Amino acid sequence: MAQRTVLLVLFDDVQSLDVIGPVEVFAGAEKHTPGTYRIRTASLDGAPVRTSSGLTVVPDRALAAVSGPDTLIVPGGQGTRDPDPRLIEWLRGQGPRARRLVSVCTGAILLARAGLLDGRRATTHWAYCDRLARDHPAVDVDPDPIYVRDGHVATSAGVTSGIDLALALVEEDLDRETALTIARHLVVFLRRPGNQAQFSAQLAAQTARREPLREVQRWITEHPGADLGVESLAARAGLSPRHFARAFRAETGTTPGRYVDRVRIEHARRLLEDTGAGVDQVSRASGYGTPEAMRRAFVRALGTAPAEYRRRFRPAPTDPPRTAPGTGLTGTPATRGRPAGG
């Protein structure tokens, strides 16, 4: 296989992790399978750039000296707020020539300013999705996924989601085992599915101000298989069902039912990824009751059935079995990593 050039664009006030995360993934792939990737960095004039965290990064060359990279990666950061017009012009000219055009975090804003996202579905950091949609109405902005693929263009959400996207690209170029090896080395998930939400249920919802409601949130997370109807949860909080539902939504920003749905699907996902338990066992442990109820929930939320989800996202059984916490279900561990936030 011909060596692929991966080029990362640098500019002042770039988010350092947007750069380093993908670099570590592709560098890991090159170490695992020498001759697969040539990683390069470039700034407008080839001068060092200072990241938003204060680190100084020395690029390999000037952008003017670069042409035709296989994979062009545009990171985000504070420097995307008022970019140099020359950078936008370079992206406008060189972006379409790359086999794959990738953005991390608010790098999507630079691609949009260059007209490279017009007519495409894209995402960015949750805090900037509204801005991207407002300033670039020709872009179909999806605020939920951690990354989006639309043709040869891939955009990812906040910061660490660049690692998820880079792992998916390595798996596409090489194979799943290479991506798994890199993920294990970095101690992250092999890959979170692109349509996984940027936030876990606990992060997506606000933490309630009152202790009884906070306790209910903890109870839901720790007991997804229990009776989590409004009446049962209201009794646990010492409130009437109507008062509880109104207070829960006011303090968390979501309804009890939606919160429960999200917790249950996250719990089921973890069991499918981390254990060898059957779909029937997973559906009961996650509070769905029947495999068919869980299948409907998965299709609605993730666009795939549980069995297919497990086939795609569970690592190969190379490690000894373990018990999934709080379930009594044993199986092979997936690579451990961070929560679902980007």
Side-chain angles (χ1 to χ4, degrees), residues 19 40 70 94 161 164 177 195 214 250-251 267 278 305 313 328:
V19 176
R40 296 289 182 264
D70 175 83
Q94 294 296 323
S161 61
D164 296 286
E177 289 307 309
N195 59 355
R214 289 199 300 271
E251 296 198 18
H267 186 262
F313 301 120

Side-chain angles (χ1 to χ4, degrees), residues 5-22:
T5 299
V6 178
L7 176 69
L8 289 99
V9 176
L10 302 181
F11 47 86
D12 283 327
D13 279 333
V14 68
Q15 165 62 251
S16 56
L17 194 54
D18 287 4
V19 176
I20 300 303

Side-chain angles (χ1 to χ4, degrees), residues 3-7 37 67-72 97-101 173:
Q3 191 174 45
R4 305 172 187 271
T5 299
V6 178
L7 176 69
Y37 293 109
S67 62
D70 175 83
T71 302
L72 175 58
R97 300 183 183 182
R99 183 177 69 89
R100 288 189 305 217
L101 183 58
D173 290 343

Side-chain angles (χ1 to χ4, degrees), residues 135-177:
D135 294 348
H136 303 280
V139 181
D140 179 12
V141 180
D142 189 339
D144 291 327
I146 59 171
Y147 62 81
V148 168
R149 305 284 298 273
D150 189 334
H152 77 289
V153 179
T155 53
S156 59
V159 198
T160 57
S161 61
I163 296 175
D164 296 286
L165 179 51
L167 284 168
L169 298 178
V170 166
E171 183 175 356
E172 176 184 286
D173 290 343
L174 303 177
D175 54 56
R176 190 171 187 273
E177 289 307 309

Side-chain angles (χ1 to χ4, degrees), residues 4-129:
R4 305 172 187 271
T5 299
V6 178
L7 176 69
L8 289 99
V9 176
L10 302 181
F11 47 86
D12 283 327
D13 279 333
V14 68
Q15 165 62 251
S16 56
L17 194 54
D18 287 4
V19 176
I20 300 303
V23 163
E24 290 293 341
V25 171
F26 286 107
E30 171 61 22
K31 291 175 183 177
H32 183 274
T33 310
T36 52
Y37 293 109
R38 179 189 299 108
I39 304 164
R40 296 289 182 264
T41 56
S43 65
L44 270 174
D45 301 313
V49 302
R50 191 170 180 81
T51 71
S52 56
S53 60
L55 296 174
T56 297
V57 180
V58 181
D60 296 311
R61 61 196 64 189
L63 285 173
V66 175
S67 62
D70 175 83
T71 302
L72 175 58
I73 301 179
V74 182
Q78 295 177 13
T80 62
R81 295 177 181 176
D82 187 24
D84 190 311
R86 295 178 297 160
L87 176 57
I88 302 303
E89 189 60 31
W90 186 89
L91 289 173
R92 186 176 290 118
Q94 294 296 323
R97 300 183 183 182
R99 183 177 69 89
R100 288 189 305 217
L101 183 58
V102 177
S103 69
V104 181
C105 198
T106 53
I109 292 175
L110 298 182
L111 295 187
R113 292 188 66 157
L116 299 172
L117 297 184
D118 287 356
R120 294 188 182 275
R121 180 169 165 259
T123 194
T124 187
H125 189 289
W126 63 269
Y128 294 90
C129 284

Side-chain angles (χ1 to χ4, degrees), residues 171 175-181 184 190-191 272-276 310-321 331-336:
E171 183 175 356
D175 54 56
R176 190 171 187 273
E177 289 307 309
T178 299
L180 176 56
T181 298
R184 283 176 170 159
L190 167 58
R191 63 171 183 176
L272 291 171
E273 294 169 2
D274 291 356
T275 79
R310 166 172 275 168
R311 188 189 70 77
R312 292 170 60 194
F313 301 120
R314 185 184 176 208
T318 56
D319 294 325
T332 302
T335 51
R336 260 72 75 188

